[in-house]
Amino acid sequence: MLRRSRRPRVLPTAVAVAVLALAGSVLSGCGGGDDSTTITVLAASSLTGTFTELGKEFEDQHPGVTVKFAFDSSATLAQQATQGAPADVLATADASTMASARQAQGGSPQTFATNTMVLATPADNPGHVQAFADLDKPSVKYVMCVPTAPCGIVGQALLKQDHITGKPVSQEVDVKSVLAKLTEGEADAGLVYVTDATAAGDQVGTVPIPGAAQQVTSYPIVTLAQSKNADLAQQFVDLVIGSTGQQVLGKAGFGKP
């Protein structure tokens, strides 16, 4: 008598995806079966260039260690940290956002840099923006960060301080998105950090903002309570606040803490 072959059990699509994702995260956390270790750093998008450079420096100093970054709005990253995201270090673009992630902190935050804002324009300055007050001209389309992001909080303070009543045509999640609007020709001006304008080079022009020095944003960094590599996480923090980190940050235009 012929026996029926049993059909393989097929998991529902959603379940299969979840299982694959879990397997992937487990393999990643184990270093894929070798002796490597990975630490994950959640960092404000305005730190992309400097932290990427410092990550490579850290890997050179720690053979077998890989530094992965998640660059995003500080508010988004703080929320992810408090929800237990598998990460080791958090660096935000302001102290109040860092304070919102207090329950996830593995120590006391340390300020490692400061920043101020500038008005950026596309390189060819199609809106003929010559002064911050030009944002009140109906013909000028400008963009800025959302009010919940540190760059948006500082931007709003500067608009109020300088009595600008013109409204932005859009509000972006972070400074990188504001810069993208400029380089893609979708806006005449945008409020960005000095460091981001510096990193953009000849892609943008800049116009000073009156009183920008009165609205300084501070950048704190801390290890996370959920870190599985607390010693390495602290060593990365030490690199950032130490002489090497300060040199890299200073070269990018960040102010001292």
Side-chain angles (χ1 to χ4, degrees):
M1 182 177 182
L2 292 175
R3 299 181 61 184
R4 281 179 162 181
S5 60
R6 298 181 62 185
R7 297 178 62 188
R9 184 184 177 193
V10 179
L11 290 172
T13 302
V15 176
V17 170
V19 170
L20 289 173
L22 178 60
S25 66
V26 170
L27 287 174
S28 175
C30 294
D34 55 29
D35 294 328
S36 65
T37 301
T38 297
I39 64 170
T40 300
V41 178
L42 309 179
S45 65
S46 52
L47 296 167
T48 300
T50 51
F51 268 38
T52 298
E53 183 175 344
L54 288 173
K56 293 176 182 176
E57 175 71 23
F58 192 83
E59 290 174 348
D60 288 342
Q61 295 178 5
H62 300 78
V65 175
T66 299
V67 182
K68 289 187 177 180
F69 292 99
F71 295 108
D72 208 326
S73 164
S74 294
T76 298
L77 296 174
Q79 183 178 32
Q80 291 175 351
T82 57
Q83 291 175 345
D88 304 278
V89 176
L90 173 66
T92 64
D94 74 337
S96 60
T97 305
M98 176 63 77
S100 72
R102 186 175 291 109
Q103 68 187 66
Q105 295 170 10
S108 299
Q110 295 175 271
T111 300
F112 64 91
T114 57
N115 214 343
T116 54
M117 299 204 91
V118 68
L119 187 65
T121 69
D124 57 352
N125 197 1
H128 306 290
V129 177
Q130 303 297 326
F132 194 52
D134 288 344
L135 297 186
D136 271 337
K137 293 181 178 179
S139 61
V140 173
K141 299 182 295 182
Y142 79 93
V143 293
M144 63 185 298
C145 293
V146 293
T148 54
C151 49
I153 294 171
V154 175
Q156 293 282 3
L158 288 169
L159 292 176
K160 182 178 180 180
Q161 175 179 292
D162 291 314
H163 310 291
I164 303 297
T165 58
K167 302 300 181 185
V169 293
S170 74
Q171 295 179 320
E172 305 300 317
V173 67
D174 55 31
V175 173
K176 297 298 182 187
S177 300
V178 172
L179 276 173
K181 290 288 186 179
L182 301 180
T183 57
E184 293 167 7
E186 296 181 24
D188 299 316
L191 280 73
V192 303
Y193 290 122
V194 168
T195 53
D196 290 279
T198 300
D202 58 9
Q203 294 185 82
V204 300
T206 58
V207 174
I209 299 176
Q214 298 173 30
Q215 301 293 340
V216 178
T217 185
S218 298
Y219 287 69
I221 188 170
V222 72
T223 59
L224 292 173
Q226 60 260 42
S227 174
K228 302 299 183 184
N229 298 286
D231 289 343
L232 282 173
Q234 184 59 54
Q235 288 174 45
F236 182 83
V237 171
D238 292 342
L239 174 66
V240 172
I241 65 178
S243 58
T244 299
Q246 292 302 297
Q247 182 178 4
V248 170
L249 290 158
K251 184 176 62 176
F254 285 94
K256 292 185 178 299

